[in-house]
Amino acid sequence: MRVHPVPMLFLSGPPGVGKTTVAWEIFGQLVDSGNSPAFVDLDLLGACWPVPDDDPHNERMKARNLGAMWQNYRAAGARCVLAAGVIESRDGLALYADAVPNAVPVLCRLYAGRQELADRIVRRGRERGADLDKLTRRAAQLSAQLERDDIADFRVDTDGRGVPEVAREVVKEWLRLTGDVDGS
């Protein structure tokens, strides 16, 4: 039995950069082009309380859930994985990739300038009633950290660009790095 690689695209970046929105757009583009993707939001995979003291972002839970979901996605015919969430270290990326047998992980860091992040958070936050100042500060801090400790395979700037354009650029670079997004 031939074991097929599982291309995995991780979209990382600070709050407001567009990780989930871009991932959904890529999902649609892949479906439209005849591919068989699965999509996961890493934050939702770890939405469980309490979190362990030694794992404050609940990454082990997220990875276990990703592995369990992949089994179901694969049985349903999915051949690649799109995952949106903040990934701050190579160890974190490895934890997620190890949850999916034969994974070929690629990490894309989405980038937006400080003012663009703040504007997006304000637009999005009006609907949620969030603490916008706190979230804006966190986004700026995380963006600076991800820029400083860059572990991504590639970066895509999102400032002043539409979601479809950003998604096309991400897929183009992903294809350049992997040669295939459908694990064939």
Side-chain angles (χ1 to χ4, degrees):
M1 180 172 127
R2 181 169 179 237
V3 177
H4 294 283
V6 179
M8 294 183 73
L9 174 64
F10 291 89
L11 295 173
S12 183
V17 79
K19 299 176 296 288
T20 303
T21 302
V22 171
W24 273 119
E25 177 66 25
I26 291 171
F27 181 87
Q29 289 179 11
L30 292 176
V31 168
D32 290 348
S33 64
N35 291 287
S36 302
F39 172 66
V40 296
D41 182 315
L42 296 175
D43 286 340
L44 294 178
L45 295 185
C48 179
W49 198 259
V51 297
D53 290 338
D54 66 339
D55 188 14
H57 301 295
N58 222 7
E59 289 186 300
R60 290 190 304 262
M61 172 69 75
K62 293 174 188 179
R64 284 193 306 271
N65 284 338
L66 173 60
M69 289 178 72
W70 174 245
Q71 291 177 24
N72 295 324
Y73 283 148
R74 185 64 154 193
R79 298 293 171 249
C80 64
V81 180
L82 306 171
V86 177
I87 299 178
E88 299 180 47
S89 70
R90 279 278 164 198
D91 289 343
L93 179 63
L95 184 67
Y96 296 124
D98 289 348
V100 176
N102 305 308
V104 180
V106 172
L107 177 61
C108 170
R109 182 169 56 88
L110 297 178
Y111 173 83
R114 186 181 187 122
Q115 188 57 52
E116 183 68 22
L117 285 175
D119 292 347
R120 290 177 188 176
I121 289 167
V122 167
R123 283 194 305 268
R124 183 174 77 183
R126 286 189 189 131
E127 300 166 14
R128 297 183 187 173
D131 182 344
L132 301 181
D133 290 335
K134 181 179 177 182
L135 190 54
T136 299
R137 282 191 308 277
R138 173 66 180 139
Q141 291 166 347
L142 185 56
S143 183
Q145 175 192 331
L146 294 173
E147 186 79 16
R148 181 186 64 244
D149 304 331
D150 194 7
I151 60 161
D153 295 300
F154 66 100
R155 170 184 135 160
V156 173
D157 293 345
T158 66
D159 280 353
R161 302 173 72 193
V163 173
E165 177 187 359
V166 170
R168 283 190 299 274
E169 182 177 339
V170 170
V171 170
K172 180 180 175 184
E173 188 64 18
W174 186 27
L175 281 170
R176 187 187 70 74
L177 292 169
T178 64
D180 179 25
V181 298
D182 214 19
S184 303

